[in-house]
Amino acid sequence: MGTDKEIKSSIYNNLDVESEFFVRKCTLEDLEGVIEVNEKELPEDYPFFFYKSILDNYADSFLVACKKNNPKKIIGYIMWRIESAPSLNGLKLINKGHLVSIAVSETNRRKGVSTALLSNSMPEVLNDDLSEYVLEVRVSNYPAVNLYKKFDYTIHSIKKNYYRDGENAYFMIKKVKDI
Ligand code: ACO
Ligand code: ZN
């Protein structure tokens, strides 16, 4: 996993030629850089095996962003998992794409990095026959809420005391299809 050839073939080439960064699939060697960004930018940290299990199970939608002039340095990441839940009538299982975490290092924000991470990973999650995309976000996290609204996610409900420090979460959803 993670040979230069494999890395090259996983680069998404729908970004502007002028763009300072690019987006590609995450490899095992990238996890250290992903964890570094997560620990700096978000209070929700996870153990190494958690990242590893997301990579083992949902590699297609685990993407990283790197600078063109430093292609191994991770400046942002996005990871998803698929959850199965019974449909409303309980007759079948439906798949939800759960956005586990996204973050971009502070000096690289507001340049479209998250936009590239989201727009390239959402179609990858879709391969799992989804009915909706879901996520939780701190109610105070205006930049992230704004980002999700831009991608047509809507606030479905509030999860009280969702975070360890007691803050509430917005539960946001984007429907893929009616079930
Ligand atoms: N204020 C208001 N809106 C913002 C801001 C901001 N500071 N930053 C991004 N947005 C919104 C805007 O709608 C923006 O579009 P525009 O630039 O055309 O106005 C849109 O998001 C896209 O902006 P990007 O440049 O693509 O976003 P960026 O790469 O800066 O990343 C992110 C946004 C991920 C929220 C970043 O600020 C970050 O890493 N924050 C810390 C970590 C975090 O909060 N992650 C989300 C936690 S929730 C979860 O993971 C499920
Ligand atoms: Zn969640």
Side-chain angles (χ1 to χ4, degrees), residues 102 104 109-112 114-115 136 141 146-148 150:
I102 179 172
V104 173
R109 294 208 191 139
R110 226 53 210 270
K111 295 177 180 170
S114 296
T115 301
E136 294 93 9
N141 193 346
N146 218 17
L147 168 73
Y148 304 136
K150 202 173 164 192

Side-chain angles (χ1 to χ4, degrees), residues 112-132:
V113 176
S114 296
T115 301
L117 288 168
L118 263 170
S119 54
N120 284 297
S121 61
M122 283 171 64
E124 301 282 7
V125 191
L126 209 52
N127 293 340
D128 285 271
D129 192 24
L130 289 197
S131 60
E132 59 196 22

Side-chain angles (χ1 to χ4, degrees), residues 30-54:
D30 295 322
L31 287 185
E32 206 180 310
V34 167
I35 292 171
E36 206 180 302
V37 172
N38 168 274
E39 292 188 347
K40 244 192 224 141
E41 311 305 338
L42 277 172
E44 288 70 47
D45 299 336
Y46 313 99
F48 181 83
F49 75 80
F50 179 80
Y51 295 91
K52 174 75 167 52
S53 81
I54 300 270

Side-chain angles (χ1 to χ4, degrees), residues 70-135:
N70 192 357
K72 297 235 157 135
K73 171 92 182 152
I74 309 300
I75 60 165
Y77 69 85
I78 188 164
M79 51 186 186
W80 294 83
R81 66 168 178 252
I82 309 294
E83 292 165 356
S84 288
S87 60
L88 280 181
N89 61 17
L91 292 178
K92 59 174 185 172
L93 287 178
I94 55 167
N95 284 340
K96 296 179 183 205
H98 191 137
L99 174 48
V100 177
S101 185
I102 179 172
V104 173
S105 62
E106 196 156 12
T107 49
N108 293 292
R109 294 208 191 139
R110 226 53 210 270
K111 295 177 180 170
V113 176
S114 296
T115 301
L117 288 168
L118 263 170
S119 54
N120 284 297
S121 61
M122 283 171 64
E124 301 282 7
V125 191
L126 209 52
N127 293 340
D128 285 271
D129 192 24
L130 289 197
S131 60
E132 59 196 22
Y133 297 105
V134 300
L135 62 89

Side-chain angles (χ1 to χ4, degrees), residues 4 6-26 30 63-77 108 111-114 116-117 120:
D4 282 355
E6 279 163 349
I7 288 176
K8 256 200 192 128
S9 69
S10 79
I11 294 176
Y12 293 82
N13 57 8
N14 57 352
L15 291 174
D16 212 307
V17 273
E18 315 266 278
S19 170
E20 301 165 37
F21 64 89
F22 65 93
V23 166
R24 60 172 172 79
K25 289 199 170 37
C26 182
D30 295 322
L63 307 186
V64 292
C66 308
K67 283 269 188 73
K68 279 182 183 160
N69 62 9
N70 192 357
K72 297 235 157 135
K73 171 92 182 152
I74 309 300
I75 60 165
Y77 69 85
N108 293 292
K111 295 177 180 170
V113 176
S114 296
L117 288 168
N120 284 297

